Amino acid sequence: MASKIVELFGYAPTDASAPAQNARARCLCPFVGDGAAPCTKEIGDRSNRIKSGVCSIRDKDGQPVLVCPIRMYANEYRLLKDIATLAFKTDAIELINGSKTVAHQPQPGKTLVAVFGKGWGGELRLPGRPQVADESGRRIGSVFVDWILARLDSDKKLVEFAALEVQTMDTIGSYREERSAHLSSKPFVGKSSSPNWANVNKRILPQLIYKGHLLEREALCNSGLFFACPEPVYQHILSVLGNDLASYPIKNSSLTFCTYGLGPTTEGQPRDLLLSTTKTTTVQQVQIAFSSPKGLPEAGAYERAIRAALTK
Protein backbone atom coordinates (compact mmCIF):
# COMPACT_ATOMS: atom_id res chain seq x y z
CA MET A 1 0.00 0.00 0.00
CA ALA A 2 1.24 3.50 -0.83
CA SER A 3 2.39 5.69 2.01
CA LYS A 4 -0.38 7.74 3.63
CA ILE A 5 1.80 10.10 5.67
CA VAL A 6 2.42 13.42 3.89
CA GLU A 7 4.26 15.25 6.68
CA LEU A 8 6.23 13.73 9.54
CA PHE A 9 7.52 16.16 12.17
CA GLY A 10 6.84 18.95 9.71
CA TYR A 11 8.59 17.58 6.62
CA ALA A 12 7.99 15.03 3.91
CA PRO A 13 9.05 11.58 5.23
CA THR A 14 11.52 11.33 2.35
CA ASP A 15 13.10 14.75 2.97
CA ALA A 16 16.80 14.02 3.60
CA SER A 17 17.79 17.59 4.46
CA ALA A 18 19.51 18.40 7.76
CA PRO A 19 16.48 20.29 9.21
CA ALA A 20 14.14 17.39 8.41
CA GLN A 21 16.47 14.78 9.84
CA ASN A 22 16.98 16.87 12.97
CA ALA A 23 13.23 17.28 13.47
CA ARG A 24 12.64 13.54 13.11
CA ALA A 25 15.57 12.61 15.38
CA ARG A 26 14.49 15.00 18.14
CA CYS A 27 10.71 14.74 17.59
CA LEU A 28 10.36 18.48 17.00
CA CYS A 29 7.42 20.54 15.80
CA PRO A 30 8.52 23.32 13.40
CA PHE A 31 5.17 25.12 13.56
CA VAL A 32 5.26 26.66 17.04
CA GLY A 33 7.74 28.95 18.72
CA ASP A 34 11.20 28.95 17.18
CA GLY A 35 10.77 25.53 15.58
CA ALA A 36 12.71 23.74 18.31
CA ALA A 37 9.72 22.82 20.49
CA PRO A 38 8.86 19.14 20.96
CA CYS A 39 5.84 17.67 19.21
CA THR A 40 2.89 17.72 21.63
CA LYS A 41 0.71 15.12 19.92
CA GLU A 42 1.09 11.68 21.47
CA ILE A 43 -0.27 8.26 20.53
CA GLY A 44 -0.33 4.90 22.27
CA ASP A 45 -1.54 3.72 25.65
CA ARG A 46 -0.17 4.99 28.96
CA SER A 47 2.58 2.41 29.09
CA ASN A 48 3.80 3.09 25.57
CA ARG A 49 3.25 6.74 24.70
CA ILE A 50 5.24 8.19 21.81
CA LYS A 51 5.33 11.47 19.91
CA SER A 52 3.07 11.15 16.89
CA GLY A 53 4.83 13.59 14.59
CA VAL A 54 2.21 13.06 11.88
CA CYS A 55 0.95 16.43 10.61
CA SER A 56 -1.00 15.35 7.53
CA ILE A 57 -2.02 12.22 5.65
CA ARG A 58 -3.41 11.50 2.18
CA ASP A 59 -7.09 10.89 1.61
CA LYS A 60 -8.38 8.40 -0.97
CA ASP A 61 -7.87 10.97 -3.73
CA GLY A 62 -4.27 11.63 -2.71
CA GLN A 63 -5.02 15.06 -1.26
CA PRO A 64 -3.26 16.04 2.00
CA VAL A 65 -5.55 16.27 5.02
CA LEU A 66 -4.19 17.93 8.14
CA VAL A 67 -4.64 15.68 11.18
CA CYS A 68 -2.84 17.73 13.85
CA PRO A 69 -4.42 20.99 15.08
CA ILE A 70 -1.01 22.59 15.68
CA ARG A 71 -0.35 22.36 11.93
CA MET A 72 -3.01 25.03 11.42
CA TYR A 73 -0.96 27.52 13.44
CA ALA A 74 2.09 27.66 11.17
CA ASN A 75 3.83 30.95 10.39
CA GLU A 76 3.41 32.29 13.92
CA TYR A 77 -0.38 31.78 14.03
CA ARG A 78 -0.93 33.48 10.71
CA LEU A 79 -4.43 31.97 10.68
CA LEU A 80 -5.50 34.28 13.54
CA LYS A 81 -4.50 37.36 11.57
CA ASP A 82 -6.32 36.04 8.49
CA ILE A 83 -9.54 35.71 10.47
CA ALA A 84 -9.13 39.06 12.26
CA THR A 85 -8.65 40.74 8.87
CA LEU A 86 -11.88 39.23 7.56
CA ALA A 87 -13.85 39.95 10.72
CA PHE A 88 -12.72 43.52 11.31
CA LYS A 89 -12.22 44.50 7.65
CA THR A 90 -8.61 45.72 7.94
CA ASP A 91 -5.21 44.16 7.48
CA ALA A 92 -3.60 46.61 9.92
CA ILE A 93 -3.99 44.13 12.77
CA GLU A 94 -2.02 43.88 16.01
CA LEU A 95 -2.69 40.64 17.88
CA ILE A 96 -1.95 40.50 21.61
CA ASN A 97 -2.32 37.91 24.34
CA GLY A 98 -5.74 38.58 25.85
CA SER A 99 -4.42 38.21 29.40
CA LYS A 100 -1.78 40.92 28.89
CA THR A 101 -3.85 43.84 27.63
CA VAL A 102 -3.50 46.02 30.72
CA ALA A 103 0.24 46.58 30.41
CA HIS A 104 0.34 46.52 26.60
CA GLN A 105 1.27 49.62 24.59
CA PRO A 106 -0.66 49.54 21.29
CA GLN A 107 1.09 50.21 17.99
CA PRO A 108 -0.02 53.46 16.32
CA GLY A 109 -2.24 52.95 13.29
CA LYS A 110 -3.04 49.33 14.14
CA THR A 111 -6.34 47.73 15.09
CA LEU A 112 -5.71 46.14 18.47
CA VAL A 113 -7.13 42.62 18.82
CA ALA A 114 -6.96 40.71 22.10
CA VAL A 115 -6.74 36.96 21.53
CA PHE A 116 -8.19 34.36 23.87
CA GLY A 117 -7.31 30.73 23.14
CA LYS A 118 -4.86 27.99 24.01
CA GLY A 119 -1.37 29.38 24.40
CA TRP A 120 -2.60 32.97 24.30
CA GLY A 121 -5.10 34.39 26.78
CA GLY A 122 -6.62 31.00 27.57
CA GLU A 123 -9.93 29.58 26.38
CA LEU A 124 -13.00 31.44 27.64
CA ARG A 125 -15.42 29.15 29.42
CA LEU A 126 -19.12 29.73 28.74
CA PRO A 127 -21.94 28.42 30.95
CA GLY A 128 -23.25 24.97 30.11
CA ARG A 129 -26.75 24.50 28.76
CA PRO A 130 -29.16 24.75 31.71
CA GLN A 131 -31.02 21.59 32.69
CA VAL A 132 -29.46 19.61 29.86
CA ALA A 133 -27.90 16.20 30.50
CA ASP A 134 -26.17 13.60 28.36
CA GLU A 135 -27.35 10.03 27.80
CA SER A 136 -26.02 8.92 31.20
CA GLY A 137 -27.86 11.67 33.07
CA ARG A 138 -24.79 13.83 33.75
CA ARG A 139 -25.10 17.58 33.27
CA ILE A 140 -23.49 18.83 30.09
CA GLY A 141 -20.54 21.00 31.00
CA SER A 142 -19.23 24.31 29.79
CA VAL A 143 -18.95 25.28 26.15
CA PHE A 144 -15.69 26.40 24.59
CA VAL A 145 -15.01 28.22 21.36
CA ASP A 146 -11.41 27.65 20.26
CA TRP A 147 -10.60 31.32 19.78
CA ILE A 148 -12.13 34.67 20.65
CA LEU A 149 -10.74 37.70 18.82
CA ALA A 150 -11.74 40.89 20.63
CA ARG A 151 -11.34 44.25 18.87
CA LEU A 152 -10.41 47.00 21.32
CA ASP A 153 -10.55 50.77 21.02
CA SER A 154 -7.72 53.21 21.81
CA ASP A 155 -8.54 52.90 25.52
CA LYS A 156 -8.37 49.10 25.26
CA LYS A 157 -12.10 48.76 25.79
CA LEU A 158 -14.10 46.06 24.00
CA VAL A 159 -15.76 47.23 20.77
CA GLU A 160 -16.73 43.93 19.15
CA PHE A 161 -15.54 40.34 18.92
CA ALA A 162 -15.37 37.40 16.53
CA ALA A 163 -15.34 33.68 17.33
CA LEU A 164 -13.23 31.06 15.58
CA GLU A 165 -13.35 27.28 15.55
CA VAL A 166 -10.34 25.44 14.12
CA GLN A 167 -10.70 21.85 12.97
CA THR A 168 -8.35 19.31 11.47
CA MET A 169 -9.45 15.70 11.04
CA ASP A 170 -9.27 12.69 13.32
CA THR A 171 -8.09 9.38 11.90
CA ILE A 172 -9.28 5.79 11.89
CA GLY A 173 -6.82 2.94 11.82
CA SER A 174 -3.22 3.29 12.93
CA TYR A 175 -0.31 5.01 11.23
CA ARG A 176 2.12 3.82 13.90
CA GLU A 177 3.74 1.13 11.74
CA GLU A 178 4.11 3.49 8.80
CA ARG A 179 5.60 6.13 11.09
CA SER A 180 8.14 3.64 12.42
CA ALA A 181 9.08 2.55 8.90
CA HIS A 182 9.76 6.12 7.81
CA LEU A 183 11.83 6.88 10.92
CA SER A 184 13.88 3.75 10.23
CA SER A 185 14.27 4.62 6.52
CA LYS A 186 12.54 1.39 5.55
CA PRO A 187 9.89 0.83 2.90
CA PHE A 188 6.38 0.60 4.29
CA VAL A 189 4.11 -2.31 3.42
CA GLY A 190 0.77 -2.65 5.13
CA LYS A 191 -2.29 -0.69 6.21
CA SER A 192 -2.17 2.84 7.54
CA SER A 193 -4.76 5.32 8.79
CA SER A 194 -7.46 7.26 6.96
CA PRO A 195 -9.45 10.42 7.76
CA ASN A 196 -12.43 9.77 10.01
CA TRP A 197 -15.04 11.52 7.90
CA ALA A 198 -17.87 10.30 10.14
CA ASN A 199 -16.95 13.04 12.61
CA VAL A 200 -18.32 15.65 10.19
CA ASN A 201 -21.86 14.39 10.84
CA LYS A 202 -21.41 13.24 14.42
CA ARG A 203 -19.50 16.14 15.92
CA ILE A 204 -18.38 19.00 13.67
CA LEU A 205 -21.64 20.18 12.15
CA PRO A 206 -23.77 19.82 15.33
CA GLN A 207 -21.22 21.86 17.28
CA LEU A 208 -21.04 24.58 14.64
CA ILE A 209 -24.82 24.91 14.59
CA TYR A 210 -25.08 25.06 18.39
CA LYS A 211 -22.23 27.55 18.84
CA GLY A 212 -23.43 29.64 15.92
CA HIS A 213 -26.87 30.03 17.49
CA LEU A 214 -25.24 30.91 20.82
CA LEU A 215 -23.21 33.68 19.17
CA GLU A 216 -26.27 35.11 17.39
CA ARG A 217 -27.44 36.26 20.82
CA GLU A 218 -24.27 38.28 21.42
CA ALA A 219 -24.79 41.95 20.55
CA LEU A 220 -21.06 42.57 20.03
CA CYS A 221 -20.40 39.50 17.87
CA ASN A 222 -20.90 41.42 14.64
CA SER A 223 -19.23 38.88 12.36
CA GLY A 224 -20.63 35.62 13.71
CA LEU A 225 -18.66 32.38 13.75
CA PHE A 226 -15.61 31.52 11.63
CA PHE A 227 -14.62 27.94 10.91
CA ALA A 228 -11.08 27.22 9.68
CA CYS A 229 -10.28 23.76 8.33
CA PRO A 230 -8.26 21.94 5.64
CA GLU A 231 -9.76 22.17 2.14
CA PRO A 232 -10.69 18.43 1.99
CA VAL A 233 -12.64 18.76 5.26
CA TYR A 234 -14.67 21.62 3.77
CA GLN A 235 -15.30 19.61 0.61
CA HIS A 236 -16.61 16.74 2.71
CA ILE A 237 -18.87 19.14 4.60
CA LEU A 238 -20.28 20.30 1.26
CA SER A 239 -20.92 16.68 0.28
CA VAL A 240 -23.06 16.38 3.41
CA LEU A 241 -24.81 19.74 3.14
CA GLY A 242 -24.96 20.07 -0.63
CA ASN A 243 -23.18 22.58 -2.81
CA ASP A 244 -26.04 25.08 -2.91
CA LEU A 245 -25.50 26.92 0.38
CA ALA A 246 -26.59 30.51 -0.17
CA SER A 247 -23.91 33.18 0.21
CA TYR A 248 -24.37 36.06 2.65
CA PRO A 249 -22.30 39.03 3.80
CA ILE A 250 -20.48 38.66 7.09
CA LYS A 251 -22.88 39.55 9.91
CA ASN A 252 -23.97 38.48 13.38
CA SER A 253 -25.75 35.31 12.21
CA SER A 254 -23.14 34.27 9.66
CA LEU A 255 -20.96 31.20 9.51
CA THR A 256 -17.81 31.73 7.47
CA PHE A 257 -15.79 28.76 6.23
CA CYS A 258 -12.08 29.45 5.73
CA THR A 259 -10.19 26.61 4.10
CA TYR A 260 -6.46 26.00 4.06
CA GLY A 261 -4.15 23.94 1.87
CA LEU A 262 -0.45 23.18 1.67
CA GLY A 263 1.93 24.99 -0.64
CA PRO A 264 4.51 23.25 -2.86
CA THR A 265 7.18 20.99 -1.39
CA THR A 266 10.67 22.43 -0.96
CA GLU A 267 13.51 20.30 0.38
CA GLY A 268 14.52 21.42 3.87
CA GLN A 269 11.50 23.64 4.48
CA PRO A 270 8.02 22.95 5.86
CA ARG A 271 5.29 23.52 3.30
CA ASP A 272 3.45 26.82 3.57
CA LEU A 273 -0.09 26.83 4.90
CA LEU A 274 -2.22 28.90 2.52
CA LEU A 275 -5.72 30.33 2.85
CA SER A 276 -7.51 29.01 -0.24
CA THR A 277 -11.28 29.55 0.04
CA THR A 278 -13.71 31.66 2.05
CA LYS A 279 -17.44 31.09 1.99
CA THR A 280 -19.92 32.96 4.16
CA THR A 281 -23.41 31.61 4.72
CA THR A 282 -25.64 31.62 7.82
CA VAL A 283 -26.04 29.24 10.73
CA GLN A 284 -29.67 28.76 9.74
CA GLN A 285 -28.74 27.77 6.19
CA VAL A 286 -26.32 25.16 7.53
CA GLN A 287 -28.90 23.84 9.99
CA ILE A 288 -31.55 23.47 7.28
CA ALA A 289 -29.12 21.73 4.94
CA PHE A 290 -27.90 19.40 7.71
CA SER A 291 -31.46 18.34 8.56
CA SER A 292 -32.20 17.72 4.86
CA PRO A 293 -29.36 15.39 3.84
CA LYS A 294 -28.36 15.11 0.21
CA GLY A 295 -27.15 12.07 -1.70
CA LEU A 296 -29.39 9.51 -0.02
CA PRO A 297 -29.68 6.07 -1.68
CA GLU A 298 -32.87 5.17 -3.51
CA ALA A 299 -35.92 4.40 -1.41
CA GLY A 300 -36.08 0.74 -0.38
CA ALA A 301 -32.30 0.25 -0.42
CA TYR A 302 -32.29 -1.40 3.00
CA GLU A 303 -35.21 -3.65 2.09
CA ARG A 304 -33.43 -4.89 -1.03
CA ALA A 305 -30.22 -5.50 0.93
CA ILE A 306 -32.11 -7.54 3.54
CA ARG A 307 -33.94 -9.59 0.92
CA ALA A 308 -30.68 -10.28 -0.90
CA ALA A 309 -29.02 -11.38 2.35
CA LEU A 310 -31.91 -13.73 3.16
CA THR A 311 -31.46 -15.61 -0.10
CA LYS A 312 -27.76 -16.35 0.38
Side-chain angles (χ1 to χ4, degrees):
M1 179 178 291
S3 172
K4 287 288 192 72
I5 295 176
V6 177
E7 296 172 301
L8 184 60
F9 294 108
Y11 299 84
T14 55
D15 189 332
S17 67
Q21 292 188 60
N22 180 59
R24 291 193 289 265
R26 299 174 58 195
C27 298
L28 301 180
C29 174
F31 303 116
V32 292
D34 59 2
C39 172
T40 58
K41 184 177 181 180
E42 296 185 335
I43 56 174
D45 56 35
R46 290 184 179 181
S47 63
N48 191 22
R49 299 290 284 176
I50 60 172
K51 300 291 186 182
S52 162
V54 176
C55 313
S56 57
I57 64 173
R58 289 183 177 84
D59 65 10
K60 63 181 178 60
D61 298 320
Q63 297 301 308
V65 181
L66 277 61
V67 296
C68 176
I70 300 300
R71 184 63 177 94
M72 293 288 286
Y73 303 130
N75 305 113
E76 298 181 345
Y77 289 82
R78 173 71 198 201
L79 175 150
L80 298 181
K81 188 173 182 181
D82 289 343
I83 303 304
T85 296
L86 289 170
F88 307 130
K89 299 177 176 60
T90 176
D91 58 4
I93 297 290
E94 181 188 5
L95 301 178
I96 63 168
N97 186 311
S99 65
K100 299 179 180 179
T101 57
V102 174
H104 181 75
Q105 295 299 318
Q107 297 179 19
K110 296 279 190 177
T111 296
L112 187 62
V113 177
V115 179
F116 295 92
K118 187 175 181 179
W120 287 65
E123 292 178 312
L124 297 180
R125 183 185 299 269
L126 301 178
R129 287 174 280 188
Q131 308 304 316
V132 176
D134 63 15
E135 294 84 351
S136 64
R138 295 175 299 183
R139 286 285 300 276
I140 294 177
S142 301
V143 176
F144 289 95
V145 176
D146 290 333
W147 299 93
I148 294 293
L149 307 177
R151 181 168 75 86
L152 310 181
D153 63 16
S154 57
D155 295 321
K156 293 185 282 190
K157 302 297 183 182
L158 177 63
V159 177
E160 63 173 318
F161 70 91
L164 166 65
E165 285 283 286
V166 178
Q167 182 67 57
T168 50
M169 184 50 58
D170 297 330
T171 59
I172 52 176
S174 174
Y175 50 67
R176 187 163 184 156
E177 289 186 7
E178 182 183 356
R179 171 192 177 279
S180 297
H182 287 309
L183 292 178
S184 302
S185 300
K186 297 178 180 178
F188 172 68
V189 179
K191 292 184 178 181
S192 191
S193 60
S194 300
N196 185 10
W197 296 122
N199 267 345
V200 170
N201 299 52
K202 291 181 179 179
R203 184 166 58 86
I204 296 175
L205 286 171
Q207 286 191 14
L208 287 179
I209 292 167
Y210 173 74
K211 292 175 182 179
H213 281 307
L214 183 153
L215 291 161
E216 282 187 74
R217 302 178 66 191
E218 294 291 328
L220 295 185
C221 187
N222 297 330
S223 51
L225 178 62
F226 291 83
F227 179 67
C229 65
E231 179 71 27
V233 175
Y234 174 64
Q235 293 302 325
H236 194 82
I237 288 173
L238 289 183
S239 73
V240 174
L241 299 180
N243 291 297
D244 54 351
L245 286 175
S247 295
Y248 286 78
I250 291 177
K251 57 182 180 178
N252 171 263
S253 60
S254 66
L255 174 54
T256 300
F257 295 95
C258 299
T259 74
Y260 284 80
L262 297 179
T265 301
T266 302
E267 191 85 356
Q269 296 181 13
R271 296 170 70 172
D272 287 333
L273 185 69
L274 305 174
L275 177 62
S276 54
T277 304
T278 60
K279 164 79 173 184
T280 300
T281 185
T282 65
V283 177
Q284 185 178 26
Q285 288 287 315
V286 171
Q287 183 173 0
I288 292 171
F290 185 54
S291 62
S292 307
K294 306 294 191 298
L296 294 175
E298 294 180 5
Y302 258 120
E303 177 185 336
R304 289 191 294 275
I306 295 169
R307 292 186 184 279
L310 290 173
T311 60
K312 289 182 179 179

